[in-house]
Amino acid sequence: MRIYLDNAATTPLSKEVLEAMMPWMTEHYGNPSSIHSEGRRARTAIEQARRTIAKCLNASLGEIFFTSCGTESNNWALKSAVRDLGVQRIITTKAEHHCVLHATDALKQYQNIEIIYLTLSKEGHISLEELQNYLSGSDKKTLVSLIHANNEIGTILDIKKVGDLCLAHQAFFHTDTVQTLGYYPIDVQALNISFLSGSGHKFHGPKGIGFLYINGDNIIKPYIDGGAQERNMRAGTENLHGIVGLAKALEIVSTNRAAYQTHIEGLKSHMIEALKASFEDIRFNGDLEQGHYKILSVSFPPTPKTEMLVMGLDIAGISASGGSACSSGAEHDSHVIEAIGGDIDRKTIRFSFSSYNTKEQIDIVINKIKNILPSIVKEFV
Ligand code: PLP
């Protein structure tokens, strides 16, 4: 049996979610745009799913738009803010997910948008004072785009404080909540958020389905032209079973949040203690106090064997991420570790947990690492 500790990359689909999705691929296959009863049934399922998601976020129904993934949601938010809301300047960081970094690169290159990168502390926090200075220092229409929990090191942003600053300076605020959605309560009515992105496969839902929350005050033009789906904003026949699965998964994780959190926090602290007790010169990246409970980023000292740690773990039946989980499948130095001024000569491994993991699995992983890296195992005293 393999041990899967890469739940920030993706999570296994829950059986309950699969069961909820199945009928929408087999019996109820209607096109939600058709007016016959199969179509109407499919349309009802989509609107029910939208209601579930809106309820989880305390949003209005008309503020939830389904997309194909978190990447699309982030692109949509950034590009619409520029095209439709007159944004000329984006304030972000160099530790965002590549879909935000590369979308802002494109906006700079093709649309001459000014991009400002906030300074990051060594734990990965922004400075609210620096953000305030930038916000008050220019009349340019501005969008602040900041990740809620960093997907590599887990550091969490205070979205309430950032939202308040954006409100005070009439800036738009986009937050990428792909790693936090379901794991932390988010109430968009209590927060000044203009755009918020989510993705189904990070909380035991299906891949290929996401959504974008667009605050109702922001009037934008269609992102994909075609039919009238998603209230004319994103054309294309809806991913019916994906939408049903996304909503079911979000409902399950939100309902069981407290129990999941307690269990996963227990796994994380068990692993931290075991790593500290077992190895010399171990360092943890991010903020252990204010970090996502499902993400643990560990830097191992450079030895000839640490370079191959992810591969060694994989051969030993354990899945974790090394460097950044890159879409090309290749391992690169992490842009996040670089952005926080971390030591890129050390080998960084991201372990990320789910409610399916156990403490026994963590103990097995620690023993496997001892076998792979005997030179850094602490001497028994
Ligand atoms: N944003 C963050 C923080 C992520 O972790 C990811 C996926 O790893 C994405 C965006 C992209 O989401 P998707 O895989 O649904 O495109």
Side-chain angles (χ1 to χ4, degrees):
M1 271 291 273
R2 289 189 64 87
I3 298 176
Y4 185 77
L5 292 184
D6 201 12
N7 291 280
T10 196
T11 50
L13 186 74
S14 108
K15 288 206 171 56
E16 235 183 305
V17 172
L18 178 64
E19 272 163 29
M21 291 168 68
M22 279 306 277
W24 303 99
M25 289 185 268
T26 51
E27 293 154 63
H28 312 311
Y29 44 77
N31 184 326
S33 298
S34 301
I35 54 167
H36 46 61
S37 59
E38 286 91 341
R40 289 200 310 276
R41 189 194 278 263
R43 162 74 40 225
T44 305
I46 288 182
E47 293 319 315
Q48 182 52 46
R50 201 186 310 278
R51 191 165 297 119
T52 303
I53 293 160
K55 191 167 161 235
C56 283
L57 292 170
N58 199 17
S60 302
L61 272 182
E63 295 177 315
I64 305 296
F65 296 87
F66 292 111
T67 64
S68 67
C69 58
T71 298
E72 183 188 329
S73 304
N74 284 339
N75 269 269
W76 185 357
L78 294 162
K79 291 175 181 172
S80 291
V82 168
R83 189 190 62 177
D84 305 329
L85 302 177
V87 162
Q88 299 162 295
R89 185 173 76 139
I90 297 174
I91 301 178
T92 185
T93 75
K94 290 216 161 142
E96 302 302 304
H97 190 270
H98 274 136
C99 60
V100 168
L101 287 174
H102 294 167
T104 50
D105 285 348
L107 288 166
K108 180 179 175 182
Q109 189 177 351
Y110 303 118
Q111 266 146 297
N112 208 20
I113 300 303
E114 184 189 356
I115 312 293
I116 290 170
Y117 300 101
L118 297 172
T119 316
L120 290 169
S121 70
K122 64 181 195 318
E123 289 87 17
H125 291 294
I126 60 152
S127 145
L128 289 169
E129 201 185 333
E130 186 185 34
L131 175 59
Q132 172 153 32
N133 289 342
Y134 276 122
L135 287 171
S136 57
S138 167
D139 291 335
K140 278 188 180 174
K141 198 89 199 127
T142 298
L143 170 78
V144 174
S145 177
L146 294 171
I147 197 165
H148 187 198
N150 186 277
N151 51 299
E152 287 189 34
I153 57 172
T155 302
I156 293 199
L157 177 79
D158 188 333
I159 45 176
K160 171 81 180 113
K161 288 197 175 137
V162 172
D164 288 348
L165 274 181
C166 289
L167 181 65
H169 295 89
Q170 291 161 9
F172 298 105
F173 178 29
H174 162 242
T175 185
D176 174 350
T177 59
V178 165
Q179 291 293 345
T180 47
L181 194 76
Y183 295 92
Y184 290 87
I186 298 174
D187 177 345
V188 291
Q189 305 251 357
L191 301 162
N192 177 52
I193 290 174
S194 321
F195 301 95
L196 176 151
S197 315
S199 177
H201 69 105
K202 305 292 184 178
F203 43 87
H204 306 288
K207 294 173 183 59
I209 184 71
F211 74 88
L212 179 64
Y213 158 84
I214 306 177
N215 182 291
D217 292 341
N218 301 315
I219 308 302
I220 56 157
K221 299 196 182 82
Y223 184 57
I224 297 181
D225 296 307
Q229 293 92 350
E230 297 303 292
R231 292 180 305 293
N232 288 313
M233 289 298 126
R234 183 188 182 274
T237 300
E238 297 90 337
N239 176 354
L240 173 60
H241 52 281
I243 289 172
V244 169
L246 165 68
K248 184 70 183 172
L250 185 59
E251 193 177 26
I252 295 172
V253 70
S254 305
T255 312
N256 298 292
R257 184 180 295 131
Y260 285 4
Q261 180 162 355
T262 307
H263 178 74
I264 301 171
E265 269 172 358
L267 298 175
K268 182 172 167 176
S269 46
H270 184 65
M271 186 151 196
I272 292 172
E273 290 317 314
L275 283 166
K276 282 199 221 158
S278 308
F279 303 103
E280 304 281 0
D281 197 15
I282 285 285
R283 292 188 206 154
F284 300 102
N285 302 301
D287 186 338
L288 288 187
E289 243 85 282
Q290 265 185 68
H292 197 316
Y293 51 90
K294 74 180 261 190
I295 296 175
L296 179 62
S297 172
V298 188
S299 277
F300 292 87
T303 71
K305 297 235 167 106
T306 25
E307 233 357 88
M308 299 303 290
L309 184 52
V310 175
M311 196 60 80
L313 286 170
D314 188 28
I315 291 165
I318 296 153
S319 306
S321 271
S324 59
C326 177
S327 46
S328 69
E331 246 186 62
H332 293 277
D333 284 340
S334 155
H335 71 280
V336 175
I337 299 297
E338 221 173 305
I340 58 170
D343 184 351
I344 50 169
D345 291 333
R346 296 170 68 86
K347 183 72 204 162
T348 297
I349 308 279
R350 178 187 66 185
F351 299 100
S352 47
F353 315 100
S354 84
S355 55
Y356 298 6
N357 294 124
T358 62
K359 282 197 177 150
E360 291 67 37
Q361 289 182 329
I362 306 292
D363 293 337
I364 295 171
V365 173
I366 298 289
N367 280 328
K368 297 283 185 197
I369 303 175
K370 283 183 183 168
N371 291 339
I372 299 169
L373 302 176
S375 67
I376 63 160
V377 173
K378 278 190 176 165
E379 293 292 326
F380 184 75
V381 202

